[in-house]
Amino acid sequence: MRPAPALVVALVACALLGVLALIGFVPPGAPLAAAGLLLLLAVPDLFALRRQPSPQIERELPHVVPVGVERAVTLRLRAAERAQALQVHDGHPGDWPVFGLPRAAVLPAGREVELTYRLTPTERGAFAFEGCDVRLLSPLRLWRQQRRVALDQLVRVYPNFAPLAKLALVGAERASRVVGAHLKRRRGEGTEFQQLREYRSGDALRQIDWKASQRARKLISREYQLERNQQVLLVVDTGRRMLARDGNLAHFDHCLNAALMVAYIALRQGDGVGLLAAGGQTRYFAPRRGLATIDALLNSVFDLHATPLATDYLDAAKQLALRQQRRSLVLFITNVRDEDIEDLLSAVRQLQKRHLVCVASLREQALERPPEQPVADLADAIGVGALAQYIEQRTHAHEALRAQGTDVLDVTCAELPAALVQHYVAVKRAARL
């Protein structure tokens, strides 16, 4: 319980009256009369505030929200008995950018008032809203009291799944093109027989079914579809390399978003999708089929983060070999560095005994821009030379992987989703699995 600004002003006014009485500008009894009147008003006002019940508050916010997307939160307030004047501040996680708080409101008796503010989750994981803080004002606005209304709520912040929701409205091939993959479709391609149909100009001779053509007395072609029931394993690096940032997100967040994108495309094609996180935090999601898998995958990785630990590529390969016996397309997303190449080569060699491996190596956006400042002194020269050496070493590491028969995608974070989807579809169409 604290004095409100109005009471503080009244007390200052009484003190000024006392000063004026001392120097003879006002009658000596004026300060006492003013203080007595203020006391008669303030004491009942104090007890009236203490008897006021806290308002009823409800929060409207989904239990699952995407990271980095601004979200509106609605608070519904209702006065318990009589009209109330108050200020409200929601107990949101403290590090999130928030607009529209605190808010002042007057609650009419028996009526509901809605207050809306906006917040932006900046990190994935589980977060708690710890209740609502309200500051009640007494009927005469002489006192104010801070209270907390219990309104605890657990919110899960997932990777941004809005792009997946957009892909749900189109077919699998169209979804691949929406992501940015450049697909070259050839009529009749695929590995699983789908149907017989009349010959069309451009069909390959190998597609013609000569027995069916003889019976129908016209050329009949076989039509194939991409083989289903294959498996895709996404191996995501959770080590220190993925802590680098491009824009507002860490490389690991870009990696996770791209992994979910290619997982969704693969599930739409009828394939099974699994995920292994290795490096810092470790987690395994066994391959599953069906579109419901994407929800289970989101639930499994939403609180996964990169940590400042070195990635043990050999251990990741060992874990995958023990858990995944069936031949699969392994998409290994990391940031290849020269100092790690020997371990990575050994890990990939071990995986290639059973699986088809592709290493997606994230490239920092800074490498796309030439130095903005001319070389004016020794420090500038050292910086340019170090950058050139880093790029050369990175290129040699990629060449070593390719020499071992590994597919390598050297891409930025922005290019990663399209590159993964394009490689996945190309592997299926070439029947490399």
Side-chain angles (χ1 to χ4, degrees):
M1 193 77 68
R2 294 182 179 180
L7 181 56
V8 174
V9 170
L11 291 173
V12 171
C14 289
L16 289 176
L17 280 176
V19 174
L20 293 176
L22 287 175
I23 60 178
F25 280 99
V26 296
L32 292 176
L37 177 61
L38 183 58
L39 184 63
L40 288 176
L41 294 175
V43 172
D45 199 39
L46 172 66
F47 285 102
L49 177 58
R50 291 175 62 90
R51 289 193 299 267
Q52 276 191 30
S54 298
Q56 301 173 5
I57 304 178
E58 295 179 0
R59 182 190 297 113
E60 183 177 313
L61 175 66
H63 291 284
V64 174
V65 295
V67 66
V69 177
E70 190 177 66
R71 171 71 59 174
V73 182
T74 300
L75 298 175
R76 292 191 174 90
L77 299 90
R78 179 186 292 270
E81 296 176 355
R82 63 185 68 181
Q84 289 180 312
L86 53 79
Q87 291 180 327
V88 61
H89 191 282
D90 201 6
H92 59 81
D95 294 336
W96 294 359
V98 176
F99 303 94
L101 286 180
R103 298 285 294 276
V106 176
L107 306 184
R111 293 181 59 185
E112 188 175 83
V113 173
E114 288 189 358
L115 301 179
T116 300
Y117 70 94
R118 309 190 71 83
L119 56 77
T120 305
T122 56
E123 189 177 1
R124 291 173 292 99
F127 299 90
F129 283 70
E130 298 178 349
C132 247
D133 292 319
V134 294
R135 180 177 291 171
L136 297 176
L137 294 176
S138 61
L140 297 181
R141 308 294 198 271
L142 297 178
W143 301 93
R144 59 187 182 186
Q145 185 180 27
Q146 189 91 6
R147 300 181 187 177
R148 167 156 290 191
V149 178
L151 197 60
D152 295 345
Q153 180 178 351
L154 186 66
V155 174
R156 290 185 169 189
V157 182
Y158 278 29
N160 186 6
F161 42 79
L164 300 183
K166 293 180 181 179
L167 296 182
L169 303 176
V170 297
E173 182 165 329
R174 175 61 179 163
S176 302
R177 297 184 185 277
V178 169
V179 172
H182 301 287
L183 309 180
K184 296 180 180 179
R185 183 173 180 82
R186 298 186 300 273
R187 186 176 296 160
E189 66 183 4
T191 57
E192 285 189 347
F193 174 76
Q194 184 176 21
Q195 64 180 356
L196 293 175
R197 57 166 174 77
E198 289 190 18
Y199 175 85
R200 298 173 186 166
S201 177
D203 286 350
L205 287 177
R206 64 181 178 85
Q207 289 180 241
I208 299 176
D209 188 314
W210 295 108
K211 291 184 178 180
S213 299
Q214 183 179 17
R215 291 194 299 269
R217 297 183 179 275
K218 58 182 177 181
L219 290 177
I220 301 296
S221 293
R222 301 186 189 95
E223 190 166 75
Y224 297 88
Q225 65 180 359
L226 297 180
E227 183 180 351
R228 294 175 179 269
N229 198 26
Q230 295 177 335
Q231 290 192 346
V232 179
L233 260 296
L234 298 158
V235 182
V236 294
D237 186 353
T238 59
R240 62 185 180 183
R241 305 292 187 208
M242 308 305 285
L243 291 172
R245 303 184 75 86
D246 273 336
N248 296 325
L249 297 179
H251 276 197
F252 181 74
D253 286 286
H254 289 288
C255 159
L256 201 56
N257 290 341
L260 291 171
M261 192 74 70
V262 71
Y264 184 78
I265 298 294
L267 292 169
R268 291 283 295 271
Q269 296 281 9
D271 290 337
V273 175
L275 182 140
L276 173 67
Q281 293 184 342
T282 59
R283 198 163 299 176
Y284 179 68
F285 181 87
R288 302 185 196 175
R289 296 178 61 194
L291 288 180
T293 302
I294 201 67
D295 293 329
L297 190 56
L298 279 168
N299 288 330
S300 176
V301 303
F302 81 95
D303 58 347
L304 195 61
H305 296 90
T307 59
L309 298 174
T311 301
D312 189 338
Y313 293 111
L314 289 172
D315 182 67
K318 179 181 177 181
Q319 290 185 48
L320 187 60
L322 291 174
R323 290 168 167 167
Q324 182 63 20
Q325 300 298 319
R326 180 178 170 180
R327 179 172 169 81
S328 306
L329 170 62
V330 175
L331 298 175
F332 201 142
I333 310 173
T334 184
N335 186 336
V336 177
R337 300 287 181 90
D338 178 66
E339 58 264 32
D340 303 325
I341 189 59
E342 293 301 326
D343 286 346
L344 182 57
L345 285 172
S346 299
V348 169
R349 194 179 302 116
Q350 180 178 339
L351 291 174
Q352 284 177 322
K353 295 177 181 178
R354 187 181 301 271
H355 307 291
L356 180 64
V357 182
C358 172
V359 175
S361 178
L362 284 177
R363 184 172 69 247
E364 291 84 353
Q365 189 66 37
L367 301 182
E368 298 295 295
R369 301 192 302 269
E372 298 178 357
Q373 299 295 332
V375 177
D377 52 27
L378 179 61
D380 292 342
I382 292 174
V384 172
L387 179 61
Q389 183 182 20
Y390 171 76
I391 294 175
E392 182 180 7
Q393 291 175 345
R394 178 184 173 88
T395 302
H396 287 165
H398 292 165
E399 290 174 352
L401 286 167
R402 292 189 178 101
Q404 193 170 274
T406 308
D407 296 323
V408 177
L409 306 177
D410 182 11
V411 291
T412 63
C413 292
E415 298 166 343
L416 181 62
L420 288 177
V421 171
Q422 185 170 321
H423 183 77
Y424 157 73
V425 176
V427 166
K428 283 187 66 68
R429 290 184 172 178
R432 294 176 61 188
L433 280 179

